[in-house]
Amino acid sequence: MVMLEPIFFWKPHLVCITEPTEDWTIEQVLQWCLLQSFDKTNTKRDELIAALNEQLDKGKTEIWSTHEKELTAVTQNKDDSNNAGDDQENRVPNVSSPGNVSGGTKEIDHETTKEQKIDSVKVDLMDGPYAGNSFVLKPRARQICYVGRSAGKKFRDKGMSLPKDPEVSTTHGKFEMKAGKIFFVDMGSTNGTLCNGQEIQPDVPLELTEGMILQIGAAKCMISLGYN
């Protein structure tokens, strides 16, 4: 049996310009077809890579352009804020001398202009078994105000005892003071706690703000902050 030596060897980007003749064997024709397929595939691949690189360069240009616009806007806002602050500092208030009244303007009490600190939190229950009730809580660094269905002393005296609400856990949550701010923490309650309609994560302190609505058990609780 005579073995025919192949006249083609596959190499990347090999372009075969020889057309098949009647003398070719089936194996040679198939090899020629394979080489043609490889060449077309490589050409298509190169075209796709070039198109993708062009899109990538265009995207980079657009991103950098947007980034520069944002930086310019931020810088402009800072400059405007600084200018507004300078104008405010340059204003001279019409203040009379201590103890006197001049032109209907009284002396400014600098003590009252100091920033007030949060001292307490008022919880107004708007529905549920305790609708209409209010609790004024004063958590401190070492004094936690607990909320729950328990009727224990620490709930009754310094927290919120809600034994008639079956949706409240025995120890549902707590109010605590940290760094001059009041937080509520859900202590892994069965039904959880909602803040403005969104469930909060257990054991993660939630800073309280004026007008916030907490859903504790069956009651929606309106939060009001008290200052000293």
Side-chain angles (χ1 to χ4, degrees):
M1 180 177 181
V2 179
M3 300 296 292
L4 295 176
E5 294 184 0
I7 62 174
F8 295 98
F9 297 93
W10 177 82
K11 292 183 180 179
H13 306 287
L14 178 62
V15 179
C16 180
I17 60 175
T18 303
E19 295 292 333
T21 65
E22 295 179 356
D23 297 335
W24 283 25
T25 64
I26 294 177
E27 290 80 2
Q28 290 173 333
V29 173
L30 292 176
Q31 190 177 31
W32 180 84
C33 292
L34 180 61
L35 288 174
Q36 294 296 314
S37 177
F38 280 148
D39 183 62
K40 291 180 180 179
T41 300
N42 290 336
T43 301
K44 187 64 176 179
R45 179 202 62 191
D46 293 341
E47 292 175 354
L48 289 175
I49 291 175
L52 290 174
N53 285 332
E54 182 179 355
Q55 293 180 8
L56 179 61
D57 291 339
K58 183 178 179 181
K60 287 181 179 179
T61 302
E62 292 178 353
I63 290 174
W64 276 112
S65 177
T66 303
H67 177 66
E68 291 175 355
K69 290 180 180 179
E70 290 297 328
L71 286 179
T72 302
V74 170
T75 303
Q76 183 64 38
N77 290 336
K78 286 184 178 179
D79 292 341
D80 293 343
S81 299
N82 292 335
N83 292 335
D86 293 340
D87 292 341
Q88 185 67 26
E89 291 178 357
N90 292 332
R91 293 178 183 176
V92 179
N94 184 15
V95 182
S96 62
S97 59
N100 296 325
V101 177
S102 177
T105 304
K106 295 184 179 180
E107 177 190 2
I108 295 177
D109 185 356
H110 294 286
E111 293 297 327
T112 61
T113 61
K114 292 182 179 179
E115 183 180 358
Q116 294 180 321
K117 295 182 179 180
I118 298 176
D119 178 68
S120 62
V121 56
K122 182 182 179 184
V123 184
D124 293 311
L125 281 68
M126 299 185 292
D127 50 14
Y130 294 91
N133 285 269
S134 297
F135 296 85
V136 178
L137 309 177
K138 295 185 177 182
R140 296 293 181 266
R142 297 184 179 181
Q143 177 178 304
I144 296 175
C145 299
Y146 290 95
V147 181
R149 205 170 64 251
S150 173
K153 182 177 176 61
K154 65 180 180 180
F155 288 83
R156 290 184 287 104
D157 293 350
K158 298 179 180 180
M160 294 172 56
S161 177
L162 307 172
K164 296 180 181 180
D165 190 341
E167 297 184 23
V168 175
S169 296
T170 303
T171 302
H172 194 98
K174 61 183 178 180
F175 291 88
E176 57 186 11
M177 173 80 75
K178 290 183 178 180
K181 299 178 181 179
I182 298 181
F183 298 82
F184 177 81
V185 181
D186 183 284
M187 300 175 66
S189 63
T190 301
N191 295 319
T193 303
L194 303 181
C195 174
N196 296 333
Q198 299 294 324
E199 186 172 4
I200 67 175
Q201 296 183 11
D203 301 317
V204 177
L206 172 69
E207 182 180 352
L208 300 182
T209 58
E210 186 72 24
M212 178 182 287
I213 302 294
L214 295 180
Q215 178 81 38
I216 300 177
K220 287 185 174 64
C221 306
M222 171 77 77
I223 299 299
S224 301
L225 300 177
Y227 298 84
N228 58 7

